[in-house]
Amino acid sequence: MAKAVVIGSGIGGIAAAIRLAVKGYAVTVLEANASFGGKMTQFTLPGGYRFDAGPSLFTLPQLVDDLFTLAGRAPQAYFRYQRLPIVTQYFWPDGTRLTAHASADAFAREVEAKLGIPADQLHRHLQKVARLYHATANTFLHKSLHKLDTYLSPDVLKTLPALPELGLTTTMHAANAKAFSDPRLIQLLDRYATYNGSDPYQAPGTLNLIPHLEFNIGAFYPEGGIYAIAESLVKLAEELGVEFRYNETVQEIMVLGTRATGVRTGQGTYSAEVVVSNMDVVPTYRKLLPNQPAPERTLQQPRSSSALIYYWGISRTFPELDLHNIFFSQNYQQEFEHIFQKGSVAEDPTVYVNITSKLTPQDAPTGHENWFVMVNVPHNAGQNWDELIRQTRQSVLRKVSHSLGTDIASLITVEKIWDPRGIEADTSSFAGALYGSSSNNRMAAFLRHPNFTSKLKGLYFVGGSVHPGGGIPLCLLSAKIAADLVPPVAAPAQT
Ligand code: FAD
């Protein structure tokens, strides 16, 4: 039986393993950690708290369903989710509070009531974003940008007329500031740059298509939390015969001539016709392929932002908060200058608070909440993180306490911290960047590493550091693109 080895069990690696198993390969997943998930892992803290460690916002759930359907299973038998009626609660320093309803109509009405922007204006904006998304997603997200077939496909005929409106020659912020006058709405729309670790003051206007996912398609919550995505997919993979081997770090991708022939770990060698790396592409080349020429221009692209997360057990509940909550900074531009130019953290950063116990009550004891409190920070470049963690903790407590009119510090019963150093150490993400390279220039999409390499046959790449990008949906798409490029298993010769 033809063999495939997958290096890493992040969401991209798990999805690739499922797709290759369905294709007829005998798949082994080698994972350095003691369990699966990579950034999509979970933490528990004393006192009965559970946290999704990394991703918290879930869009395009049908990409998860597709894997069950592909394997001939009913998705609902493994994995259930609900569409959120409210996507996010927003808080500004001037006291403005705004509820981002999932329904585009309700959201536009709320924006009119709270920010004075005519509902029609936002509505037309979201409709335009939807039109552009549909004209471009198949070309830019669902296919390799590095294969001629993509450009010969009929989808390109839909994409070409949309190009002038995509905002390739302007920044996200400039496009939003042109479309709207209220600085709070501009800030809200600029924030979507952070969904792939970028800076709205540098990233191209194309990223303004991201809100389409939340407002026109929806934000979702899996039953049991985000970790349930990884859990249910690993269950499916195991049923399909995929073998997961934990605590087994791949040290080398074996090469013969121009072909990858398998991998070597501390425990032994695994020969395979297909090798898929779900490890960040930078260490894949630097550590696993040290003798192969590396695509330097690609590997040297600036990194995306990272995150500093405080996981807090909180000894009371806050009815004014929801699953997703944002406490905006006063000066957004300065915040991004700190992240991308100064390699530091602003004194007044935007704070994101995710509380899964709102929807999964067993994630915290009765009368308590589990707060995942995140600040966007630069990738790890050797900063004095201990000092930044201390300062940022104070800023966060000051800001959130002021907005909610309650002293939050006195409510913290238990705490864990994950910073860029820890993210790098725990997931091998180069410099702790959450999304591989940033999308801060208009060529970024084309400069991401492809899902294959023309230099080594049999080697494929999936996950957030390669095409089409980071975040759960794009990692799932990377697995689809890579698996579609893998040749079918040859039928046994007839005798
Ligand atoms: P990773 O999660 O990077 O996992 C790679 C795996 O490979 C790891 O398990 C690692 O141990 C293993 N590995 C590496 N090297 C080796 C080796 N040599 N041998 C064996 N195993 C190896 N996305 C969203 O969609 N929504 C969000 O709200 C969101 N928020 C985020 C918040 C945080 C704090 C973080 C950290 C991420 C967030 N993301 C979010 C991004 C999302 O989590 C990632 O894009 C995605 O999970 C990355 O998956 P991946 O397939 O690239 O693999």
mmCIF file of all heavy atoms in Angstrom, residues 7-13 30-33 35 37-40 53-57 248-251 278-279 288 307 309 372 374 418 423 426-429 434-435 462-465 470-473 475, ligand 1:
data_model
loop_
_atom_site.group_PDB
_atom_site.id
_atom_site.type_symbol
_atom_site.label_atom_id
_atom_site.label_comp_id
_atom_site.label_asym_id
_atom_site.label_seq_id
_atom_site.Cartn_x
_atom_site.Cartn_y
_atom_site.Cartn_z
ATOM 1 N N ILE A 7 3.963 15.384 8.836
ATOM 2 C CA ILE A 7 4.782 15.901 9.941
ATOM 3 C C ILE A 7 3.957 16.944 10.688
ATOM 4 O O ILE A 7 3.784 18.065 10.213
ATOM 5 C CB ILE A 7 6.080 16.548 9.411
ATOM 6 C CG1 ILE A 7 6.832 15.558 8.508
ATOM 7 C CG2 ILE A 7 6.946 17.061 10.554
ATOM 8 C CD1 ILE A 7 7.916 16.221 7.658
ATOM 9 N N GLY A 8 3.422 16.551 11.844
ATOM 10 C CA GLY A 8 2.658 17.503 12.660
ATOM 11 C C GLY A 8 1.164 17.263 12.591
ATOM 12 O O GLY A 8 0.628 16.914 11.537
ATOM 13 N N SER A 9 0.508 17.442 13.737
ATOM 14 C CA SER A 9 -0.947 17.217 13.784
ATOM 15 C C SER A 9 -1.685 18.493 14.155
ATOM 16 O O SER A 9 -2.601 18.487 14.965
ATOM 17 C CB SER A 9 -1.271 16.107 14.784
ATOM 18 O OG SER A 9 -0.893 16.525 16.086
ATOM 19 N N GLY A 10 -1.267 19.627 13.546
ATOM 20 C CA GLY A 10 -2.107 20.822 13.597
ATOM 21 C C GLY A 10 -3.325 20.561 12.726
ATOM 22 O O GLY A 10 -3.429 19.503 12.080
ATOM 23 N N ILE A 11 -4.229 21.530 12.689
ATOM 24 C CA ILE A 11 -5.470 21.317 11.931
ATOM 25 C C ILE A 11 -5.175 21.008 10.461
ATOM 26 O O ILE A 11 -5.841 20.163 9.843
ATOM 27 C CB ILE A 11 -6.443 22.522 12.107
ATOM 28 C CG1 ILE A 11 -7.787 22.264 11.435
ATOM 29 C CG2 ILE A 11 -5.853 23.822 11.608
ATOM 30 C CD1 ILE A 11 -8.595 21.195 12.068
ATOM 31 N N GLY A 12 -4.136 21.645 9.896
ATOM 32 C CA GLY A 12 -3.778 21.383 8.499
ATOM 33 C C GLY A 12 -3.275 19.961 8.313
ATOM 34 O O GLY A 12 -3.605 19.283 7.328
ATOM 35 N N GLY A 13 -2.485 19.476 9.263
ATOM 36 C CA GLY A 13 -1.937 18.125 9.172
ATOM 37 C C GLY A 13 -3.027 17.068 9.335
ATOM 38 O O GLY A 13 -3.036 16.059 8.617
ATOM 39 N N LEU A 30 3.192 12.048 12.423
ATOM 40 C CA LEU A 30 4.222 12.103 13.468
ATOM 41 C C LEU A 30 4.127 13.449 14.154
ATOM 42 O O LEU A 30 4.216 14.491 13.501
ATOM 43 C CB LEU A 30 5.594 11.905 12.838
ATOM 44 C CG LEU A 30 5.744 10.526 12.173
ATOM 45 C CD1 LEU A 30 6.912 10.503 11.208
ATOM 46 C CD2 LEU A 30 5.892 9.438 13.224
ATOM 47 N N GLU A 31 3.916 13.436 15.461
ATOM 48 C CA GLU A 31 3.675 14.678 16.200
ATOM 49 C C GLU A 31 4.703 14.791 17.325
ATOM 50 O O GLU A 31 4.861 13.873 18.128
ATOM 51 C CB GLU A 31 2.238 14.684 16.748
ATOM 52 C CG GLU A 31 1.923 15.760 17.765
ATOM 53 C CD GLU A 31 2.224 17.192 17.302
ATOM 54 O OE1 GLU A 31 1.714 17.592 16.253
ATOM 55 O OE2 GLU A 31 2.989 17.885 18.000
ATOM 56 N N ALA A 32 5.351 15.953 17.392
ATOM 57 C CA ALA A 32 6.371 16.172 18.422
ATOM 58 C C ALA A 32 5.761 16.236 19.825
ATOM 59 O O ALA A 32 6.381 15.816 20.800
ATOM 60 C CB ALA A 32 7.120 17.475 18.123
ATOM 61 N N ASN A 33 4.552 16.776 19.929
ATOM 62 C CA ASN A 33 3.918 16.933 21.247
ATOM 63 C C ASN A 33 3.259 15.638 21.720
ATOM 64 O O ASN A 33 3.124 14.686 20.953
ATOM 65 C CB ASN A 33 2.852 18.037 21.186
ATOM 66 C CG ASN A 33 3.491 19.411 21.046
ATOM 67 O OD1 ASN A 33 4.645 19.601 21.413
ATOM 68 N ND2 ASN A 33 2.748 20.355 20.487
ATOM 69 N N SER A 35 0.190 15.328 22.303
ATOM 70 C CA SER A 35 -1.172 15.216 21.783
ATOM 71 C C SER A 35 -1.313 16.041 20.503
ATOM 72 O O SER A 35 -0.392 16.753 20.095
ATOM 73 C CB SER A 35 -2.175 15.680 22.842
ATOM 74 O OG SER A 35 -3.484 15.392 22.395
ATOM 75 N N GLY A 37 -3.278 18.778 17.683
ATOM 76 C CA GLY A 37 -3.932 20.090 17.684
ATOM 77 C C GLY A 37 -3.011 21.266 17.408
ATOM 78 O O GLY A 37 -3.439 22.274 16.877
ATOM 79 N N GLY A 38 -1.735 21.176 17.800
ATOM 80 C CA GLY A 38 -0.836 22.325 17.596
ATOM 81 C C GLY A 38 -1.399 23.554 18.293
ATOM 82 O O GLY A 38 -1.687 23.519 19.494
ATOM 83 N N LYS A 39 -1.591 24.618 17.528
ATOM 84 C CA LYS A 39 -2.138 25.839 18.147
ATOM 85 C C LYS A 39 -3.577 25.612 18.603
ATOM 86 O O LYS A 39 -4.070 26.298 19.491
ATOM 87 C CB LYS A 39 -2.086 27.007 17.155
ATOM 88 C CG LYS A 39 -0.668 27.349 16.729
ATOM 89 C CD LYS A 39 -0.649 28.547 15.806
ATOM 90 C CE LYS A 39 0.724 28.770 15.210
ATOM 91 N NZ LYS A 39 1.037 27.861 14.078
ATOM 92 N N MET A 40 -4.248 24.645 17.989
ATOM 93 C CA MET A 40 -5.638 24.358 18.366
ATOM 94 C C MET A 40 -5.658 23.320 19.493
ATOM 95 O O MET A 40 -6.299 22.267 19.387
ATOM 96 C CB MET A 40 -6.400 23.825 17.145
ATOM 97 C CG MET A 40 -7.887 23.758 17.334
ATOM 98 S SD MET A 40 -8.673 22.875 15.995
ATOM 99 C CE MET A 40 -8.845 24.149 14.791
ATOM 100 N N ALA A 53 -6.854 26.933 23.735
ATOM 101 C CA ALA A 53 -5.588 27.656 23.903
ATOM 102 C C ALA A 53 -5.379 28.735 22.853
ATOM 103 O O ALA A 53 -4.900 29.820 23.148
ATOM 104 C CB ALA A 53 -4.428 26.664 23.838
ATOM 105 N N GLY A 54 -5.733 28.433 21.604
ATOM 106 C CA GLY A 54 -5.423 29.355 20.503
ATOM 107 C C GLY A 54 -6.665 29.914 19.836
ATOM 108 O O GLY A 54 -7.292 30.848 20.353
ATOM 109 N N PRO A 55 -7.037 29.338 18.673
ATOM 110 C CA PRO A 55 -8.148 29.929 17.925
ATOM 111 C C PRO A 55 -9.440 29.939 18.725
ATOM 112 O O PRO A 55 -9.704 29.020 19.505
ATOM 113 C CB PRO A 55 -8.286 29.033 16.696
ATOM 114 C CG PRO A 55 -7.496 27.805 16.972
ATOM 115 C CD PRO A 55 -6.495 28.141 18.018
ATOM 116 N N SER A 56 -10.226 30.994 18.524
ATOM 117 C CA SER A 56 -11.507 31.103 19.221
ATOM 118 C C SER A 56 -12.637 31.453 18.263
ATOM 119 O O SER A 56 -13.783 31.131 18.518
ATOM 120 C CB SER A 56 -11.420 32.158 20.318
ATOM 121 O OG SER A 56 -10.975 33.378 19.755
ATOM 122 N N LEU A 57 -12.318 32.118 17.158
ATOM 123 C CA LEU A 57 -13.359 32.481 16.206
ATOM 124 C C LEU A 57 -13.383 31.437 15.089
ATOM 125 O O LEU A 57 -12.349 31.124 14.504
ATOM 126 C CB LEU A 57 -13.086 33.864 15.598
ATOM 127 C CG LEU A 57 -14.200 34.244 14.623
ATOM 128 C CD1 LEU A 57 -15.410 34.760 15.367
ATOM 129 C CD2 LEU A 57 -13.722 35.237 13.601
ATOM 130 N N GLU A 248 7.021 12.206 18.981
ATOM 131 C CA GLU A 248 7.972 11.733 17.976
ATOM 132 C C GLU A 248 8.276 12.884 17.005
ATOM 133 O O GLU A 248 7.490 13.185 16.104
ATOM 134 C CB GLU A 248 7.424 10.501 17.243
ATOM 135 C CG GLU A 248 8.495 9.864 16.393
ATOM 136 C CD GLU A 248 8.261 8.384 16.068
ATOM 137 O OE1 GLU A 248 7.282 7.795 16.570
ATOM 138 O OE2 GLU A 248 9.062 7.839 15.297
ATOM 139 N N THR A 249 9.408 13.532 17.242
ATOM 140 C CA THR A 249 9.789 14.713 16.454
ATOM 141 C C THR A 249 10.508 14.291 15.185
ATOM 142 O O THR A 249 11.464 13.512 15.251
ATOM 143 C CB THR A 249 10.734 15.606 17.298
ATOM 144 O OG1 THR A 249 10.071 15.931 18.514
ATOM 145 C CG2 THR A 249 11.104 16.886 16.560
ATOM 146 N N VAL A 250 10.052 14.792 14.055
ATOM 147 C CA VAL A 250 10.759 14.518 12.800
ATOM 148 C C VAL A 250 12.024 15.373 12.775
ATOM 149 O O VAL A 250 11.980 16.583 13.021
ATOM 150 C CB VAL A 250 9.856 14.810 11.585
ATOM 151 C CG1 VAL A 250 10.640 14.681 10.284
ATOM 152 C CG2 VAL A 250 8.659 13.862 11.586
ATOM 153 N N GLN A 251 13.139 14.718 12.473
ATOM 154 C CA GLN A 251 14.436 15.426 12.478
ATOM 155 C C GLN A 251 14.948 15.690 11.076
ATOM 156 O O GLN A 251 15.781 16.560 10.862
ATOM 157 C CB GLN A 251 15.460 14.606 13.279
ATOM 158 C CG GLN A 251 15.064 14.519 14.743
ATOM 159 C CD GLN A 251 15.848 13.478 15.505
ATOM 160 O OE1 GLN A 251 16.512 12.625 14.912
ATOM 161 N NE2 GLN A 251 15.759 13.512 16.821
ATOM 162 N N ASN A 278 3.433 19.752 7.948
ATOM 163 C CA ASN A 278 2.514 20.686 8.606
ATOM 164 C C ASN A 278 3.307 21.537 9.611
ATOM 165 O O ASN A 278 2.761 22.346 10.330
ATOM 166 C CB ASN A 278 1.398 19.887 9.308
ATOM 167 C CG ASN A 278 0.381 20.740 10.061
ATOM 168 O OD1 ASN A 278 -0.092 20.371 11.125
ATOM 169 N ND2 ASN A 278 0.033 21.880 9.520
ATOM 170 N N MET A 279 4.634 21.324 9.592
ATOM 171 C CA MET A 279 5.510 22.168 10.409
ATOM 172 C C MET A 279 5.621 23.509 9.685
ATOM 173 O O MET A 279 5.566 23.557 8.455
ATOM 174 C CB MET A 279 6.884 21.491 10.469
ATOM 175 C CG MET A 279 7.893 22.130 11.379
ATOM 176 S SD MET A 279 9.502 21.303 11.126
ATOM 177 C CE MET A 279 10.340 21.730 12.637
ATOM 178 N N LEU A 288 14.750 20.447 8.737
ATOM 179 C CA LEU A 288 14.504 19.105 8.186
ATOM 180 C C LEU A 288 15.140 18.908 6.815
ATOM 181 O O LEU A 288 15.269 17.782 6.351
ATOM 182 C CB LEU A 288 12.993 18.827 8.093
ATOM 183 C CG LEU A 288 12.163 19.039 9.370
ATOM 184 C CD1 LEU A 288 10.740 18.511 9.182
ATOM 185 C CD2 LEU A 288 12.817 18.382 10.577
ATOM 186 N N ALA A 307 0.832 36.586 19.679
ATOM 187 C CA ALA A 307 -0.186 36.924 20.682
ATOM 188 C C ALA A 307 0.370 36.706 22.080
ATOM 189 O O ALA A 307 1.255 35.875 22.288
ATOM 190 C CB ALA A 307 -1.426 36.057 20.492
ATOM 191 N N ILE A 309 -1.372 35.888 25.668
ATOM 192 C CA ILE A 309 -2.688 35.498 26.191
ATOM 193 C C ILE A 309 -2.583 35.236 27.692
ATOM 194 O O ILE A 309 -1.687 34.521 28.150
ATOM 195 C CB ILE A 309 -3.228 34.216 25.510
ATOM 196 C CG1 ILE A 309 -3.138 34.352 23.997
ATOM 197 C CG2 ILE A 309 -4.682 33.968 25.893
ATOM 198 C CD1 ILE A 309 -2.220 33.392 23.364
ATOM 199 N N PHE A 372 -10.279 34.152 28.330
ATOM 200 C CA PHE A 372 -9.097 34.079 27.468
ATOM 201 C C PHE A 372 -8.862 35.519 27.043
ATOM 202 O O PHE A 372 -9.674 36.104 26.333
ATOM 203 C CB PHE A 372 -9.448 33.174 26.295
ATOM 204 C CG PHE A 372 -8.569 33.238 25.069
ATOM 205 C CD1 PHE A 372 -7.754 32.155 24.733
ATOM 206 C CD2 PHE A 372 -8.610 34.321 24.199
ATOM 207 C CE1 PHE A 372 -6.987 32.177 23.571
ATOM 208 C CE2 PHE A 372 -7.840 34.345 23.036
ATOM 209 C CZ PHE A 372 -7.027 33.277 22.728
ATOM 210 N N MET A 374 -6.598 38.241 25.261
ATOM 211 C CA MET A 374 -5.497 38.257 24.284
ATOM 212 C C MET A 374 -5.188 39.662 23.778
ATOM 213 O O MET A 374 -6.079 40.463 23.540
ATOM 214 C CB MET A 374 -5.896 37.379 23.092
ATOM 215 C CG MET A 374 -4.829 37.263 22.043
ATOM 216 S SD MET A 374 -5.359 36.179 20.698
ATOM 217 C CE MET A 374 -5.158 37.318 19.339
ATOM 218 N N TRP A 418 0.449 32.493 27.938
ATOM 219 C CA TRP A 418 1.118 31.936 26.748
ATOM 220 C C TRP A 418 1.639 33.137 25.980
ATOM 221 O O TRP A 418 0.863 34.056 25.668
ATOM 222 C CB TRP A 418 0.120 31.142 25.905
ATOM 223 C CG TRP A 418 0.696 29.985 25.125
ATOM 224 C CD1 TRP A 418 1.848 29.307 25.382
ATOM 225 C CD2 TRP A 418 0.100 29.356 23.971
ATOM 226 N NE1 TRP A 418 2.011 28.281 24.462
ATOM 227 C CE2 TRP A 418 0.966 28.289 23.590
ATOM 228 C CE3 TRP A 418 -1.062 29.568 23.227
ATOM 229 C CZ2 TRP A 418 0.693 27.448 22.488
ATOM 230 C CZ3 TRP A 418 -1.333 28.740 22.153
ATOM 231 C CH2 TRP A 418 -0.469 27.688 21.775
ATOM 232 N N ILE A 423 4.590 29.981 22.345
ATOM 233 C CA ILE A 423 3.908 29.533 21.120
ATOM 234 C C ILE A 423 4.944 28.912 20.173
ATOM 235 O O ILE A 423 4.719 27.871 19.568
ATOM 236 C CB ILE A 423 3.158 30.724 20.466
ATOM 237 C CG1 ILE A 423 2.005 31.155 21.380
ATOM 238 C CG2 ILE A 423 2.653 30.361 19.071
ATOM 239 C CD1 ILE A 423 1.324 32.449 20.995
ATOM 240 N N ASP A 426 6.115 25.520 21.709
ATOM 241 C CA ASP A 426 5.098 24.462 21.769
ATOM 242 C C ASP A 426 4.603 24.015 20.391
ATOM 243 O O ASP A 426 4.005 22.945 20.269
ATOM 244 C CB ASP A 426 3.878 24.940 22.577
ATOM 245 C CG ASP A 426 4.239 25.195 24.038
ATOM 246 O OD1 ASP A 426 5.287 24.687 24.479
ATOM 247 O OD2 ASP A 426 3.480 25.908 24.729
ATOM 248 N N THR A 427 4.787 24.853 19.365
ATOM 249 C CA THR A 427 4.212 24.483 18.056
ATOM 250 C C THR A 427 5.218 24.557 16.911
ATOM 251 O O THR A 427 4.862 24.304 15.767
ATOM 252 C CB THR A 427 3.016 25.397 17.696
ATOM 253 O OG1 THR A 427 3.505 26.725 17.447
ATOM 254 C CG2 THR A 427 1.976 25.441 18.800
ATOM 255 N N SER A 428 6.469 24.952 17.206
ATOM 256 C CA SER A 428 7.511 25.139 16.180
ATOM 257 C C SER A 428 7.164 26.229 15.176
ATOM 258 O O SER A 428 7.681 26.233 14.058
ATOM 259 C CB SER A 428 7.787 23.840 15.404
ATOM 260 O OG SER A 428 8.417 22.926 16.207
ATOM 261 N N SER A 429 6.277 27.145 15.549
ATOM 262 C CA SER A 429 5.952 28.252 14.643
ATOM 263 C C SER A 429 7.108 29.240 14.683
ATOM 264 O O SER A 429 7.448 29.733 15.767
ATOM 265 C CB SER A 429 4.670 28.950 15.092
ATOM 266 O OG SER A 429 3.642 28.001 15.121
ATOM 267 N N LEU A 434 1.742 33.830 14.532
ATOM 268 C CA LEU A 434 0.528 33.003 14.517
ATOM 269 C C LEU A 434 0.162 32.532 13.133
ATOM 270 O O LEU A 434 -0.474 31.500 12.965
ATOM 271 C CB LEU A 434 -0.674 33.779 15.075
ATOM 272 C CG LEU A 434 -0.627 34.276 16.512
ATOM 273 C CD1 LEU A 434 -2.011 34.710 16.946
ATOM 274 C CD2 LEU A 434 -0.068 33.238 17.436
ATOM 275 N N TYR A 435 0.514 33.316 12.106
ATOM 276 C CA TYR A 435 -0.013 33.038 10.758
ATOM 277 C C TYR A 435 1.096 32.960 9.712
ATOM 278 O O TYR A 435 0.880 33.313 8.554
ATOM 279 C CB TYR A 435 -1.024 34.123 10.364
ATOM 280 C CG TYR A 435 -2.160 34.276 11.355
ATOM 281 C CD1 TYR A 435 -2.099 35.209 12.387
ATOM 282 C CD2 TYR A 435 -3.283 33.466 11.265
ATOM 283 C CE1 TYR A 435 -3.131 35.340 13.305
ATOM 284 C CE2 TYR A 435 -4.320 33.587 12.178
ATOM 285 C CZ TYR A 435 -4.245 34.526 13.192
ATOM 286 O OH TYR A 435 -5.268 34.635 14.090
ATOM 287 N N VAL A 462 1.363 21.984 4.156
ATOM 288 C CA VAL A 462 0.040 22.445 4.587
ATOM 289 C C VAL A 462 0.196 23.265 5.866
ATOM 290 O O VAL A 462 1.245 23.218 6.515
ATOM 291 C CB VAL A 462 -0.934 21.258 4.860
ATOM 292 C CG1 VAL A 462 -1.159 20.430 3.615
ATOM 293 C CG2 VAL A 462 -0.429 20.377 6.009
ATOM 294 N N GLY A 463 -0.872 23.995 6.218
ATOM 295 C CA GLY A 463 -0.865 24.738 7.486
ATOM 296 C C GLY A 463 -0.775 26.230 7.264
ATOM 297 O O GLY A 463 -0.688 26.730 6.134
ATOM 298 N N GLY A 464 -0.763 26.945 8.377
ATOM 299 C CA GLY A 464 -0.901 28.394 8.352
ATOM 300 C C GLY A 464 0.278 29.160 7.790
ATOM 301 O O GLY A 464 0.153 30.352 7.512
ATOM 302 N N SER A 465 1.437 28.511 7.595
ATOM 303 C CA SER A 465 2.581 29.276 7.091
ATOM 304 C C SER A 465 2.693 29.212 5.569
ATOM 305 O O SER A 465 3.591 29.809 5.004
ATOM 306 C CB SER A 465 3.879 28.763 7.736
ATOM 307 O OG SER A 465 4.176 27.473 7.257
ATOM 308 N N GLY A 470 -3.000 31.565 7.136
ATOM 309 C CA GLY A 470 -3.290 31.069 8.475
ATOM 310 C C GLY A 470 -4.770 31.207 8.833
ATOM 311 O O GLY A 470 -5.552 31.804 8.102
ATOM 312 N N GLY A 471 -5.092 30.641 9.987
ATOM 313 C CA GLY A 471 -6.493 30.606 10.429
ATOM 314 C C GLY A 471 -7.093 29.260 10.041
ATOM 315 O O GLY A 471 -6.634 28.612 9.096
ATOM 316 N N ILE A 472 -8.104 28.841 10.797
ATOM 317 C CA ILE A 472 -8.657 27.486 10.618
ATOM 318 C C ILE A 472 -9.123 27.242 9.173
ATOM 319 O O ILE A 472 -8.727 26.252 8.554
ATOM 320 C CB ILE A 472 -9.822 27.236 11.611
ATOM 321 C CG1 ILE A 472 -9.349 27.444 13.042
ATOM 322 C CG2 ILE A 472 -10.403 25.851 11.434
ATOM 323 C CD1 ILE A 472 -10.481 27.562 14.065
ATOM 324 N N PRO A 473 -9.955 28.136 8.608
ATOM 325 C CA PRO A 473 -10.475 27.819 7.265
ATOM 326 C C PRO A 473 -9.363 27.692 6.218
ATOM 327 O O PRO A 473 -9.394 26.779 5.392
ATOM 328 C CB PRO A 473 -11.391 29.004 6.921
ATOM 329 C CG PRO A 473 -11.630 29.724 8.188
ATOM 330 C CD PRO A 473 -10.514 29.408 9.119
ATOM 331 N N CYS A 475 -6.174 26.950 6.699
ATOM 332 C CA CYS A 475 -5.384 25.724 6.934
ATOM 333 C C CYS A 475 -6.119 24.512 6.350
ATOM 334 O O CYS A 475 -5.501 23.620 5.750
ATOM 335 C CB CYS A 475 -5.138 25.506 8.417
ATOM 336 S SG CYS A 475 -4.013 26.712 9.142
HETATM 337 P P1 FAD B 1 -0.042 24.210 13.929
HETATM 338 O O1 FAD B 1 -1.160 24.488 14.843
HETATM 339 O O2 FAD B 1 1.002 25.221 13.741
HETATM 340 O O3 FAD B 1 0.596 22.844 14.406
HETATM 341 C C1 FAD B 1 1.781 22.323 13.871
HETATM 342 C C2 FAD B 1 2.019 20.996 14.579
HETATM 343 O O4 FAD B 1 3.204 20.401 14.029
HETATM 344 C C3 FAD B 1 2.272 21.157 16.082
HETATM 345 O O5 FAD B 1 1.457 20.237 16.787
HETATM 346 C C4 FAD B 1 3.757 20.827 16.244
HETATM 347 O O6 FAD B 1 4.061 20.243 17.492
HETATM 348 C C5 FAD B 1 3.961 19.864 15.105
HETATM 349 N N1 FAD B 1 5.363 19.807 14.662
HETATM 350 C C6 FAD B 1 6.130 20.863 14.298
HETATM 351 N N2 FAD B 1 7.349 20.431 13.942
HETATM 352 C C7 FAD B 1 7.348 19.088 14.078
HETATM 353 C C8 FAD B 1 8.318 18.066 13.856
HETATM 354 N N3 FAD B 1 9.551 18.350 13.406
HETATM 355 N N4 FAD B 1 7.973 16.774 14.073
HETATM 356 C C9 FAD B 1 6.727 16.466 14.516
HETATM 357 N N5 FAD B 1 5.779 17.392 14.757
HETATM 358 C C10 FAD B 1 6.081 18.681 14.530
HETATM 359 N N6 FAD B 1 -7.362 31.014 13.746
HETATM 360 C C11 FAD B 1 -8.687 31.186 13.516
HETATM 361 O O7 FAD B 1 -9.224 30.696 12.507
HETATM 362 N N7 FAD B 1 -9.469 31.895 14.401
HETATM 363 C C12 FAD B 1 -8.946 32.439 15.530
HETATM 364 O O8 FAD B 1 -9.678 33.032 16.332
HETATM 365 C C13 FAD B 1 -7.555 32.303 15.774
HETATM 366 N N8 FAD B 1 -6.995 32.817 16.893
HETATM 367 C C14 FAD B 1 -5.740 32.411 17.263
HETATM 368 C C15 FAD B 1 -5.253 32.753 18.529
HETATM 369 C C16 FAD B 1 -4.043 32.257 18.967
HETATM 370 C C17 FAD B 1 -3.538 32.607 20.319
HETATM 371 C C18 FAD B 1 -3.289 31.383 18.137
HETATM 372 C C19 FAD B 1 -2.000 30.767 18.631
HETATM 373 C C20 FAD B 1 -3.735 31.080 16.855
HETATM 374 C C21 FAD B 1 -4.962 31.592 16.414
HETATM 375 N N9 FAD B 1 -5.479 31.287 15.143
HETATM 376 C C22 FAD B 1 -6.792 31.533 14.854
HETATM 377 C C23 FAD B 1 -4.642 30.658 14.119
HETATM 378 C C24 FAD B 1 -4.861 29.152 14.028
HETATM 379 O O9 FAD B 1 -4.824 28.598 15.302
HETATM 380 C C25 FAD B 1 -3.745 28.560 13.197
HETATM 381 O O10 FAD B 1 -3.685 29.190 11.916
HETATM 382 C C26 FAD B 1 -3.917 27.065 12.963
HETATM 383 O O11 FAD B 1 -4.415 26.383 14.092
HETATM 384 C C27 FAD B 1 -2.557 26.532 12.556
HETATM 385 O O12 FAD B 1 -2.661 25.192 12.178
HETATM 386 P P2 FAD B 1 -1.492 24.481 11.408
HETATM 387 O O13 FAD B 1 -2.118 23.410 10.575
HETATM 388 O O14 FAD B 1 -0.644 25.474 10.710
HETATM 389 O O15 FAD B 1 -0.628 23.749 12.521
#
